[in-house]
Amino acid sequence: MQTIWLGGAEWLAVLRIGLGLWWLESWRHKDRKGWFERGTGIAWAADIAGKHRWQVVRTGFRRVVEPRPKLIAYVVVHAELALGLGLVTGFLTPVALVAGLVLNLLYLVLMIHDWAEQGQNTMMALISLVALFAMAWQAWSLDAALGLFR
């Protein structure tokens, strides 16, 4: 593989770190007080799920999220933080990439009719796949320093 300036593993690390920064920005701009105290994030998602054309989305949301809105709010917000930190530092990178891919796919399916969100979720999912299959933890990562996931 020929590259300019950095080697292939380093460019993959740049991609991984960029994805991590994207997750950290998703976490940073959330109104956590609104999510945790007023339930704004889950209420917004419930409104989208309630109007969703796919029955499986409406049913899944009712069964999984609606009975435990506060817990799910904490899970979503802290998952975005954990994903960002894991990808930026390269710690447990394959786990973070798979978890991020799943979260992006959940967001993608929930907001299938919101084209403004689809580009972000599609690109983040694609980056996760590329970083996972190209083993983007080989450079500039705690995983590499600790000898994990060789």
Side-chain angles (χ1 to χ4, degrees):
M1 169 189 285
Q2 291 185 340
T3 63
I4 297 173
W5 191 41
L6 300 172
E10 287 82 16
W11 279 119
L12 287 166
V14 169
L15 190 64
R16 182 199 81 230
I17 292 166
L19 180 61
L21 292 172
W22 204 341
W23 279 116
L24 287 175
E25 176 56 21
S26 292
W27 171 80
R28 187 197 66 79
H29 82 263
K30 280 202 176 12
D31 173 10
R32 286 179 288 285
K33 189 172 185 172
W35 271 71
F36 299 150
E37 293 177 16
R38 296 186 311 277
T40 56
I42 300 303
W44 171 77
D47 183 55
I48 292 170
K51 299 176 199 167
H52 208 283
R53 75 171 71 152
W54 298 345
Q55 179 65 36
V56 68
V57 173
R58 292 191 307 270
T59 302
F61 196 91
R62 269 195 303 270
R63 288 185 182 163
V64 175
V65 179
E66 282 183 8
R68 47 191 80 77
K70 195 168 207 98
L71 173 66
I72 299 296
Y74 277 94
V75 167
V76 168
V77 172
H78 290 101
E80 290 182 356
L81 174 61
L83 290 168
L85 292 174
L87 292 170
V88 168
T89 63
F91 184 62
L92 301 177
T93 309
V95 175
L97 289 167
V98 169
L101 178 62
V102 168
L103 193 54
N104 278 127
L105 292 176
L106 285 170
Y107 290 169
L108 186 77
V109 169
L110 177 63
M111 296 178 280
I112 199 78
H113 312 299
D114 185 347
W115 291 107
E117 288 288 331
Q118 296 309 9
Q120 173 178 315
N121 288 305
T122 303
M123 288 302 99
M124 289 177 80
L126 177 61
I127 294 168
S128 293
L129 275 176
V130 169
L132 180 65
F133 290 119
M135 298 170 43
W137 52 89
Q138 296 176 65
W140 304 344
S141 73
L142 290 174
D143 292 338
L146 297 170
L148 301 175
F149 310 109
R150 292 185 181 198

